Amino acid sequence: MSEKREALDPLRCRITAALQVNPRASWASIADALGEPERTVTRRGRELLESGNVRVVGVIGATGAVILRARCHVGMARAVSVGLARRDDTMFVYATSGHEECVAEVLVDDAHLADLMLDDLPSITGIRRIQVDPITRVYRSVREWRPSILRPAQVAALTPPAHEDYQPDGRTGSEISVLHRSILRVLAEDARTPTSEIARVVGATENTVRRHMETLEQTNKSRLRVVVEPELLGYTAEALVWVRVPPREHKNLVSLLLQHSEVRYAVAIAGADSLLINFACRDRVALHQITTHTEWAALADSISVVSVLRATKRSGNRLFAAGSASYLY
């Protein structure tokens, strides 16, 4: 994990959880769902965003993605993490306690995968060995993480209309128009920027911007999400879990797994391991319980748990680096 920080107070946790459900929800609608005074929610929410502990950003929907596991030379794990985080094609970069000290999600379509593996990644200073496993199915993205903070009725009140199902199929993506690229650039910096301000920046009318933002969201070209360290929400034990599961049990295991709110991220990968899961648990006891004494775990052939020691990048945003999302588009 990153350096220890004090957890947010209960109201700020609830506001953050509300933003995770609907990143562009108005303060008024959040206050209504939470049953709190609008002035209080507005003030606390703005303070929360201004602090930098919570960011609402837009990331571009990928046509393909892979999981990179990098084994580093002794003493080079931090440098490798920073080098990977600086790349504009990495979505998350974690330093871990496992044999592969750095784990990252890299956006790449199938046409460029060979170049990535054979040329780009081996050139990063400090990497001794790499393993790249294509993501074949997304079961839960960080965007869909709903920590156990809000009641189901509160989540339902804030949930926006459903969008197209997103799956990284690896095909070469279509070219993004100049207007869409301009909108995405603004959202990458602050996805709660008012529509009127986005219209001013991109030189279009509010109605035009609103219509195009809906198109980008519905087609998964824009995926809004909250960037927050799980420990700030009270989840102090974060881990990556590699699972091998017999094909006949895959569907059942995933169904049982997704019943747990501690699952931040879950994907199927092509390789020796069947699944990669990112858990955020209240403590190590809870992490042990969920990876050993649950129905989903009983269906696995093997489970390998490694702690996330430090997140250098989340949701395409470098942590502890100002303006880190500006190069995404």
Side-chain angles (χ1 to χ4, degrees), residues 129-146:
R129 177 183 173 187
I130 63 171
Q131 179 174 333
V132 174
D133 297 320
I135 294 175
T136 57
R137 183 80 180 176
V138 176
Y139 294 116
R140 177 173 294 168
S141 70
V142 174
R143 170 186 182 171
E144 298 156 337
W145 180 41
R146 302 289 181 262

Side-chain angles (χ1 to χ4, degrees), residues 182-193:
S182 298
I183 293 173
L184 289 169
R185 215 175 264 125
V186 176
L187 295 175
E189 289 298 326
D190 181 4
R192 287 185 62 81
T193 302

Side-chain angles (χ1 to χ4, degrees), residues 38 67 84 109 113-115 117 125 133 139 144 155-156 202 244 248 250 255 279 290-291 312 314 318 324 326:
E38 182 179 343
I67 296 298
L84 288 170
D109 56 43
L113 181 56
D115 292 336
M117 291 185 61
T125 302
D133 297 320
Y139 294 116
E144 298 156 337
V155 172
V202 305
R244 295 186 182 184
R248 66 181 179 277
H250 191 106
S255 178
F279 282 105
I290 202 170
T291 54
T312 310
R314 293 191 190 272
R318 285 166 54 201
S324 61
S326 59

Side-chain angles (χ1 to χ4, degrees), residues 9-326:
D9 63 55
L11 179 55
R12 286 184 172 87
C13 280
R14 292 164 66 209
I15 292 172
T16 302
L19 291 172
Q20 288 176 304
V21 177
N22 190 343
R24 285 182 65 85
S26 68
W27 297 125
S29 63
I30 291 175
D32 185 58
L34 300 184
E36 298 285 349
E38 182 179 343
R39 289 182 61 183
T40 301
V41 169
T42 300
R43 176 170 54 83
R44 295 286 190 89
R46 286 174 175 169
E47 290 173 352
L48 189 62
L49 296 179
E50 289 169 1
S51 72
N53 287 328
V54 175
R55 295 191 64 203
V56 183
V57 302
V59 297
I60 193 167
T63 59
V66 299
I67 296 298
L68 164 68
R69 289 184 257 187
R71 186 169 294 185
C72 308
H73 292 288
V74 175
M76 293 298 292
R78 185 184 296 272
V80 171
S81 293
V82 172
L84 288 170
R86 286 175 174 161
R87 294 177 59 94
D88 60 7
D89 55 1
T90 51
M91 283 299 294
F92 67 70
V93 180
Y94 299 149
T96 78
S97 61
H99 290 300
E100 292 89 7
E101 297 94 332
C102 294
V103 178
E105 181 184 89
V106 186
L107 307 183
V108 60
D109 56 43
D110 290 347
H112 298 95
L113 181 56
D115 292 336
L116 177 77
M117 291 185 61
L118 301 178
D119 301 316
D120 292 356
L121 296 177
S123 68
I124 297 176
T125 302
I127 289 182
R128 183 160 63 92
R129 177 183 173 187
I130 63 171
Q131 179 174 333
V132 174
D133 297 320
I135 294 175
T136 57
R137 183 80 180 176
V138 176
Y139 294 116
R140 177 173 294 168
S141 70
V142 174
R143 170 186 182 171
E144 298 156 337
W145 180 41
R146 302 289 181 262
S148 296
I149 295 173
L150 301 182
R151 297 191 301 272
Q154 294 172 322
V155 172
L158 290 162
T159 300
H163 51 76
E164 288 183 13
D165 185 37
Y166 159 72
Q167 294 299 333
D169 55 26
R171 293 178 297 181
T172 302
S174 57
E175 182 62 30
I176 300 174
S177 71
V178 173
L179 177 58
H180 283 181
R181 193 176 296 275
S182 298
I183 293 173
L184 289 169
R185 215 175 264 125
V186 176
L187 295 175
E189 289 298 326
D190 181 4
R192 287 185 62 81
T193 302
T195 306
S196 58
E197 178 62 14
I198 298 176
R200 186 191 65 79
V201 172
V202 305
T205 66
E206 284 190 53
N207 284 339
T208 297
V209 168
R210 191 174 291 108
R211 186 173 67 253
H212 283 283
M213 286 178 63
E214 290 175 358
T215 299
L216 288 168
E217 183 75 7
Q218 288 295 324
T219 59
N220 281 299
K221 294 239 174 42
S222 170
R223 294 171 58 79
L224 308 185
R225 60 186 64 189
V226 171
V227 181
V228 60
E229 289 296 292
E231 66 177 335
L232 293 180
L233 301 177
Y235 295 85
T236 61
E238 185 177 5
L240 294 179
V241 177
W242 310 91
V243 180
R244 295 186 182 184
V245 55
R248 66 181 179 277
E249 299 289 1
H250 191 106
K251 184 177 180 180
N252 290 336
L253 185 148
V254 169
S255 178
L256 293 168
L257 174 72
L258 295 181
Q259 294 176 18
H260 295 275
S261 63
E262 293 88 350
V263 177
R264 294 183 71 245
Y265 172 92
V267 296
I269 53 178
D273 296 303
S274 311
L275 297 167
L276 169 61
I277 309 160
N278 179 199
F279 282 105
C281 299
R282 293 291 182 182
D283 51 37
R284 290 188 181 183
V285 173
L287 175 62
H288 175 78
Q289 178 70 24
I290 202 170
T291 54
T292 58
H293 294 81
T294 48
E295 290 184 71
W296 76 265
L299 298 179
D301 275 346
S302 67
I303 296 175
S304 177
V305 182
V306 298
S307 294
V308 174
L309 303 177
R310 181 182 177 88
T312 310
K313 193 174 192 179
R314 293 191 190 272
S315 296
N317 281 249
R318 285 166 54 201
L319 305 182
F320 319 111
S324 61
S326 59

